DNA sequence: CGGCACCTTGAGTATCCTCAAGAGAGGTGG
DNA sequence: CCACCTCTCTTGAGGATACTCAAGGTGCCG
């Protein structure tokens, strides 16, 4: 807002972050359950009566077009909460990537209209999701296959591992449907990155970022 | 959650929508100001001390990669609120598309940690934005140029006009950077739609959907 | 050891992009 | 009021990226 200084001084203030300090997470008390590979947690259109937290394993959240094309919006990893909806129905489908342990809670356990602290935590969670979705849209809209894959690997190494290693819980097909590419393009790009010495593949699920900085610079 | 009926009955409930009924909008009291075409409302990285509502005109929200590639995340139209951030800084840049009138309010005017009703309204707003971002990601990742343009036109006609007409406030360049295409591809696709009899262009900003249903079906 | 799923690699192709030129629209000044 | 200028949009030709189709390789499980 550098454009109208008069106005700026008129209404200037330096507001503290909106969310209260104790909003660092959502408490989720519920039933622990076990899902097997490819099992559906909930489907698009089903009643959104429950919310979920990943304890172990991983989940994909996605939608499918009428002709079968699939777009994965996000992978939910241990610690992540998912399945919270604004309306009465789920807008996406969620499936376990591998054997996965979840905590399932009633949606009503999140609180009600009168519960301000929970509302701020939910807002915070939604904003983080929105940030991820925006970053994702930037990749899908404006990045090449190489940039998308590099970005994906850096992100996964950060979320799953120590920033340099990652045991991917998802297949090439899942990666492709997350990045808006085909499995062949993902595969070719990974081998190119390996040939360039940027990464090392030990089996197709285990990835070592040999030059994380160079990889991050690839993301443009 | 059709997969473990025992669990379902164990924790089944039919929770009402989380947000309280009176959360249908954010009240925004502030200073009315005027922006001219291409003027920056706020830039990425600047302090997010204010929030905005569009009164007249339109705004683009976007980010730019180091080499100049731009991804527009959304267009803000009359009635829309934008500029609300989770942290202290704006994560995107906002610019007026045309001559635009905004209401500018202090960020602190949105309320504080103790204000539950506002928190629910903000959560609701964030979730709507997230839905839009997901739909957008689906287009960017999995749809052809033709499908993206058709989807864009249907969406714009709904938001701006009566569902069949739209006076677009944005240039081909803006449309291209929203849809992850080039201006040439957008232009070619529009003329194809016109040749097919699905739309009618009266000047390049005025669009009439001649067969809205057929157009919507194109979106897959 | 065999079968099956997943992954990799290759060849050919389609879609969309790049580069380039021409057409249309809107604004300014003579 | 018209002419000109500029910016935007359209159209065309050629090319690059990623897709499709197809075959072969790898690893996991029974």
């Amino acid at each position: 807002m550098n454009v109208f200084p008069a106005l700026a001084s008129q209404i200037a203030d330096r507001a503290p972050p909106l969310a209260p300090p104790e909003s660092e997470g959502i408490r989720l008390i519920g039933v622990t359950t076990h899902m097997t590979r490819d099992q559906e947690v909930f489907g698009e259109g089903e009643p959104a009566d429950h919310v979920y937290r990943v304890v172990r394993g991983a989940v994909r959240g996605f939608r499918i077009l009428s002709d079968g094309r699939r777009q994965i919006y996000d992978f939910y990893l241990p610690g992540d909460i998912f399945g919270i909806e604004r309306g009465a129905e789920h807008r996406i489908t969620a499936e376990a990537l591998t054997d996965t342990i979840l905590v399932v809670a009633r949606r009503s356990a999140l609180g009600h209209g009168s519960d301000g602290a929970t509302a701020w935590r939910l807002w915070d969670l939604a904003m983080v999701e929105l940030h991820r979705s925006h970053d994702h849209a930037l990749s899908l809209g404006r990045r090449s296959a190489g940039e998308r894959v590099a970005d994906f690997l850096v992100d996964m190494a950060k979320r799953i591992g120590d920033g340099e290693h990652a045991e991917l819980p998802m297949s090439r097909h899942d990666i492709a449907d997350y990045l808006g590419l085909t499995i062949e393009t993902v595969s070719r790009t990974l081998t190119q990155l390996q040939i360039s010495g940027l990464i090392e593949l030990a089996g197709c699920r285990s990835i070592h970022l040999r030059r994380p900085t160079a990889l991050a610079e690839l993301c443009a």
Side-chain angles (χ1 to χ4, degrees), chain A residues 18 30 34 36 42 53 62 65 75 92 95 99-101 103 112 115 122 125 132 139 180 182 186 197 202 206 213 216:
Chain A
L18 285 172
H34 185 268
T36 58
F42 52 78
R53 160 176 270 147
F62 63 93
L65 294 176
F75 296 109
I92 66 174
E95 291 175 353
D99 283 6
T100 295
I101 296 175
V103 171
H112 328 77
D115 184 352
L122 285 177
L125 195 61
R132 286 188 59 78
S139 272
T182 59
V186 171
S206 179
T213 326

Side-chain angles (χ1 to χ4, degrees), chain A residues 27-220:
Chain A
R27 276 177 291 277
L28 207 61
I29 295 163
V31 178
T32 297
T33 185
H34 185 268
M35 310 289 290
T36 58
R37 180 187 146 99
D38 293 332
Q39 195 178 353
E40 182 175 295
V41 182
F42 52 78
E44 183 180 343
E46 293 181 5
D49 297 329
H50 301 96
V51 298
Y52 307 84
R53 160 176 270 147
V54 180
V55 176
R56 208 156 56 205
V59 173
R60 61 181 160 246
F62 63 93
R63 282 166 93 180
I64 293 191
L65 294 176
S66 48
D67 62 353
R69 284 174 288 178
R70 183 179 71 163
Q71 179 63 49
I72 294 179
Y73 294 124
D74 213 345
F75 296 109
Y76 306 114
L77 303 176
D80 290 346
I81 288 177
F82 68 99
I84 299 176
E85 293 287 347
R86 176 175 174 259
E89 293 180 0
H90 285 294
R91 291 174 49 91
I92 66 174
T93 300
E95 291 175 353
L97 287 174
T98 64
D99 283 6
T100 295
I101 296 175
L102 301 175
V103 171
V104 188
R106 286 188 185 87
R107 174 176 168 151
S108 56
L110 288 175
H112 328 77
S114 55
D115 184 352
T118 300
W120 284 111
R121 289 192 200 98
L122 285 177
W123 176 74
D124 202 57
L125 195 61
M127 290 301 283
V128 171
E129 276 191 82
L130 185 60
H131 294 168
R132 286 188 59 78
S133 187
H134 277 172
D135 292 346
H136 195 196
L138 179 60
S139 272
L140 294 174
R142 286 295 173 217
R143 287 215 248 254
S144 70
E147 294 167 336
R148 292 185 210 184
V149 171
D151 186 46
F152 174 74
L153 293 179
V154 170
D155 187 42
M156 279 300 143
K158 241 184 304 196
R159 291 177 74 194
I160 295 181
D162 56 358
E164 297 195 355
H165 297 263
E167 288 294 321
L168 299 180
M170 70 287 286
S171 68
R172 296 290 185 270
H173 196 85
D174 290 317
I175 299 174
D177 284 355
Y178 177 73
L179 297 179
L181 301 170
T182 59
I183 54 175
E184 293 95 332
T185 299
V186 171
S187 184
R188 278 186 254 268
T189 306
L190 285 171
T191 60
Q192 277 310 309
L193 288 174
Q194 184 168 31
I195 290 170
S196 313
L198 294 178
I199 65 171
E200 194 177 327
L201 295 163
C204 55
R205 298 293 184 101
S206 179
I207 294 193
H208 173 211
L209 311 193
R210 302 184 115 255
R211 301 171 54 197
T213 326
L215 212 56
E217 280 163 10
L218 261 193
C219 306

